[in-house]
């Protein structure tokens, strides 16, 4: 087994990837195998961009007309985007994808009164040092509430989790709360997940206990990743998510050989994109 240099940066998506399946993490984060975009991932990126345009000027009239304009602006940008082109959408599929994005973006207006939102950062890139590793994240919306407290909002375009999975879904925003504390020396008072498909909002309040739990979790995940990198052993974690895994051809759970991925994957990807 070859060993790997442990990653020097961690983000919520990398942590989630490792916890979901260490072998899939190795393929995407360490071997650099191509993880092709899907309509769902592209739709999510497009909706985030439309909402970013919408809140970019809070002095404007934040109404349905402005949201329509924001979606139009986003569609102009994405028409020739690499990920959109990769999807090779046929016929009027791009138009229908745009319609889906418009509906999701409009749903956000039912979930909050935009005139009360006071963003201080949109798609805000933030990083902080932690235990020898750089933590990185992109906060969809960082804002100040009426009491001047920090609120972190994360937009979601997928399905909202059931009650027993809410804690897991909130791990990413707790990560951002830790980043804010380290970067701005200020605690966020509210963390929000906005599920624009079902118009559900999940809210929680971070505390010294949740910050401490997030730090312990990060230390444990970082240690587990480092150990896997040193030994070269990345376990499989078979689950319902395997049916969406782009690397299943090289997964031993499905009769594949992980070592062949480094040889086969580039050839397979270049063939599939021709
Ligand atoms: S198919 Fe499943 S077990 Fe195999 S690498 Fe992908 S996610 Fe992991």
């Amino acid at each position: 087994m070859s060993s790997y240099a442990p990653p020097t940066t961690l983000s919520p998506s990398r942590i989630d990837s490792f916890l979901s399946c260490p072998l899939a993490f190795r393929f995407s984060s360490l071997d650099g195998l191509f993880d092709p975009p899907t309509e769902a991932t592209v739709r999510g990126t497009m909706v985030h961009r439309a909402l970013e345009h919408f809140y970019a000027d809070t002095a404007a009239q934040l109404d349905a007309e402005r949201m329509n304009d924001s979606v139009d602006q986003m569609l102009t940008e994405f028409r020739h985007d690499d990920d959109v082109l990769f999807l090779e959408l046929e016929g009027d599929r791009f138009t229908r994808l745009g319609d889906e994005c418009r509906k999701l973006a409009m749903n956000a207006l039912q979930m909050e009164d935009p005139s009360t939102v006071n963003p201080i950062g949109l798609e805000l890139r933030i990083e902080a040092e932690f235990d020898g590793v750089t933590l990185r994240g992109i906060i969809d919306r960082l804002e100040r509430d009426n009491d001047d407290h920090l609120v972190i909002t994360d937009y979601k375009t997928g399905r909202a989790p059931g009650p027993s999975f809410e804690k897991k879904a909130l791990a990413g925003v707790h990560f951002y709360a830790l980043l804010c504390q380290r970067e701005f020396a200020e605690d966020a008072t509210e963390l929000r997940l906005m599920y624009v498909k079902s118009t559900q909002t999940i809210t929680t309040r971070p505390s010294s206990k949740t910050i401490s739990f997030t730090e312990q979790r990060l230390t444990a995940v970082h240690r587990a990743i480092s150990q896997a990198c040193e030994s070269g052993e990345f376990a499989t974690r078979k689950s319902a998510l395997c049916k969406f895994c782009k690397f299943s051809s090289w997964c031993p759970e499905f009769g594949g050989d992980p070592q062949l991925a480094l040889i086969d994957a580039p050839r397979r990807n270049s063939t599939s994109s021709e």
Side-chain angles (χ1 to χ4, degrees):
M1 298 256 176
S2 351
S3 57
Y4 291 83
T8 54
T9 61
L10 280 181
S11 64
S13 57
R14 275 191 159 191
I15 292 169
D16 200 40
S17 163
F18 183 79
L19 294 177
S20 297
C21 176
L23 182 60
F25 166 86
R26 188 201 103 175
F27 287 145
S28 65
S29 291
L30 303 177
D31 292 334
L33 301 193
F34 182 48
D35 192 356
T38 64
E39 280 201 25
T41 58
V42 171
R43 183 166 45 239
T45 307
M46 291 166 75
V47 172
H48 278 70
R49 183 67 172 153
L51 291 169
E52 183 185 357
H53 284 314
F54 180 76
Y55 278 114
D57 178 9
T58 46
Q61 184 79 21
L62 296 177
D63 53 14
E65 190 180 344
R66 180 174 170 84
M67 187 64 87
N68 262 321
D69 291 345
S70 300
V71 173
D72 288 340
Q73 192 179 351
M74 173 277 289
L75 289 174
T76 303
E77 292 170 356
F78 273 79
R79 185 165 293 278
H80 302 293
D81 175 83
D82 286 347
D83 284 356
V84 170
L85 295 177
F86 178 85
L87 295 176
E88 297 183 339
L89 302 173
E90 292 182 352
D92 64 351
R93 186 67 195 113
F94 181 77
T95 304
R96 284 190 287 127
L97 182 63
D99 292 344
E100 290 159 14
C101 292
R102 194 178 304 276
K103 182 168 186 331
L104 293 172
M106 284 292 179
N107 281 354
L109 298 181
Q110 296 173 31
M111 301 172 71
E112 59 187 4
D113 176 356
S115 67
T116 64
V117 176
N118 177 28
I120 56 171
L122 298 170
E123 300 299 322
L124 183 67
R125 288 174 190 275
I126 182 166
E127 60 180 55
E129 295 307 310
F130 175 83
D131 209 11
V133 68
T134 303
L135 306 181
R136 272 195 192 144
I138 303 175
I139 299 178
D140 292 344
R141 198 173 80 201
L142 184 66
E143 64 205 83
R144 294 234 174 247
D145 65 12
N146 289 339
D147 298 318
D148 207 30
H149 293 144
L150 280 183
V151 177
I152 294 170
T153 298
D154 205 26
Y155 305 124
K156 300 286 184 190
T157 51
R159 198 177 296 171
S164 49
F165 288 96
E166 280 189 7
K167 206 169 159 193
K168 183 171 184 278
L170 286 161
V173 274
H174 280 297
F175 179 100
Y176 296 145
L178 174 65
L179 274 182
C180 281
Q181 191 200 56
R182 298 221 161 203
E183 182 66 10
F184 307 130
E186 184 176 347
D187 290 326
T189 56
E190 190 175 315
L191 311 177
R192 304 166 71 214
L193 298 179
M194 284 179 64
Y195 287 89
V196 292
K197 188 172 182 182
S198 54
T199 65
Q200 285 170 270
T201 301
I202 297 174
T203 306
T204 191
R205 290 190 172 273
S207 63
S208 54
K209 207 168 148 190
T210 60
I211 291 277
S212 165
F213 177 79
T214 303
E215 288 174 334
Q216 287 168 22
R217 180 175 181 266
L218 273 170
T219 302
V221 174
H222 186 217
R223 189 179 304 135
I225 293 175
S226 299
Q227 283 169 355
C229 286
E230 201 176 314
S231 65
E233 288 178 27
F234 290 83
T236 55
R237 192 155 299 154
K238 206 171 172 187
S239 73
L241 295 176
C242 291
K243 69 176 174 219
F244 305 109
C245 180
K246 315 299 186 315
F247 313 119
S248 55
S249 308
W250 303 288
C251 174
E253 296 286 353
F254 296 89
D257 179 350
Q259 295 314 112
L260 289 181
L262 292 174
I263 304 162
D264 289 348
R267 198 184 308 148
R268 178 176 284 234
N269 288 336
S270 62
T271 302
S272 65
S273 60
E274 277 170 6

